[in-house]
Amino acid sequence: TFGPGLSSAFPWHQAMAKRKATAGNSGPVDTPAAAAVIASSLSEQKKALLQDSLVSGSVLAALSAGVTKSEVTKWIRNDISKNFYVQDDASFSRSWRELRDKWERNSRKRQRRQHFKLTADFDELEELLLPTSPPGKAPEVQPAQMSKAQMCVAAAKEDAAQAICSSYEEALPVQLVLVFGRQAASILLQMLAKDPHISGDGPLQRIRASRAPLKHLKLLVHPDKTSHPKAKEAIQILSAALREEAA
């Protein structure tokens, strides 16, 4: 975990929690008394046409479902009171259902946006907290490791020759991760300057400019980025390594 100091270091955590706690509500609103107060704001014309219990019950149900007090009040004062087609209990129920359905759709959209924002924020945190190396630098690789790396090179060439995946550059990161695990990024950095089969401006070379080579390597072996059949196994290995380093 990132520890108790995370929220103070990254104030967006606090801001998001505050917005969630205060958005549209000034206190408890999921009570019959609050629902009755909101229902009483219905226009006199509509009050004569609708049952009080139906309106109050609908308001209470909306508040209990998480609709804010200000939103429900707007529905009563504007959307229902000024709706010419609300003339009886049945038409009220239809109109109210439409308002609830619209709110639920928008709520799901907000949740998806929040999820994507949190995912992006987490990626940014991960980039900041993971140990990094200067771009293009890597620890010196031992001779025994280079011997295994050459075996990975041969396996990657064979994968490309047999059309197991679309290219040698797709196969090599997968083979390295399967053999070296988290050390694959360091091995690859050492190989990039020496391997003539690797394009000078290809996706593998971009890892040299990355301050988080392990994370960049994870992108290279992602099943969405490579057609290699063992990409899923490789991404699981690197995901576990990244979680361990972030813990």
Side-chain angles (χ1 to χ4, degrees):
T1 60
F2 294 114
L6 180 64
S7 60
S8 60
F10 297 92
W12 56 265
H13 276 283
Q14 298 172 330
M16 185 173 293
K18 184 176 180 180
R19 286 199 302 270
K20 183 177 179 182
T22 60
N25 289 320
S26 57
V29 295
D30 54 338
T31 64
V37 170
I38 296 175
S40 67
S41 63
L42 187 68
S43 68
E44 294 299 326
Q45 180 185 7
K46 299 300 182 182
K47 286 180 181 178
L49 300 174
L50 305 175
Q51 292 186 38
D52 292 341
S53 58
L54 174 62
V55 177
S56 297
S58 299
V59 170
L60 178 59
L63 294 173
S64 300
V67 186
T68 63
K69 182 178 178 180
S70 59
E71 183 75 7
V72 179
T73 302
K74 172 181 167 298
W75 291 355
I76 290 294
R77 290 180 178 176
N78 297 334
D79 298 283
I80 297 298
S81 293
K82 298 179 181 179
N83 188 338
F84 172 81
Y85 295 99
V86 175
Q87 297 293 331
D88 53 28
D89 292 343
S91 56
F92 167 82
S93 296
R94 286 194 299 271
S95 297
W96 193 260
R97 183 68 260 170
E98 290 174 0
L99 291 169
R100 284 288 305 271
D101 288 344
K102 182 179 179 180
W103 176 84
E104 288 169 3
R105 288 193 301 271
N106 291 336
S107 179
R108 287 193 292 269
K109 290 179 181 178
R110 285 193 298 270
Q111 289 173 357
R112 286 196 294 270
R113 286 196 297 268
Q114 184 182 54
H115 169 74
F116 293 140
K117 183 182 185 304
L118 287 174
T119 300
D121 287 336
F122 180 82
D123 287 343
E124 182 180 349
L125 285 175
E126 189 177 54
E127 185 93 25
L128 290 170
L129 296 175
L130 283 178
T132 60
S133 301
K137 302 292 183 180
E140 193 66 32
V141 180
Q142 300 301 317
Q145 291 177 318
M146 287 307 297
S147 177
K148 291 182 180 180
Q150 292 305 318
M151 295 174 61
C152 293
V153 169
K157 290 179 181 178
E158 185 68 15
D159 289 344
Q162 295 184 7
I164 291 178
C165 63
S166 61
S167 69
Y168 167 73
E169 290 193 4
E170 278 194 7
L172 182 58
V174 175
Q175 293 291 352
L176 288 173
V177 171
L178 294 176
V179 173
F180 292 102
R182 72 173 64 195
Q183 292 182 315
S186 298
I187 302 293
L188 182 56
L189 281 171
Q190 290 289 316
M191 297 173 63
L192 285 174
K194 304 176 182 179
D195 193 336
H197 297 89
I198 298 176
S199 171
D201 58 353
L204 292 186
Q205 290 288 353
R206 296 182 194 129
I207 195 173
R208 301 179 70 180
S210 174
R211 297 191 63 85
L214 188 61
K215 184 177 178 183
H216 189 88
L217 183 60
K218 181 182 174 183
L219 296 176
L220 294 177
V221 302
H222 195 284
D224 289 345
K225 302 294 185 181
T226 175
S227 56
H228 199 287
K230 293 186 178 180
K232 183 176 180 180
E233 182 180 349
I235 196 72
Q236 289 173 344
I237 293 172
L238 285 186
S239 295
L242 284 167
R243 286 195 297 270
E244 289 176 6
E245 292 198 13

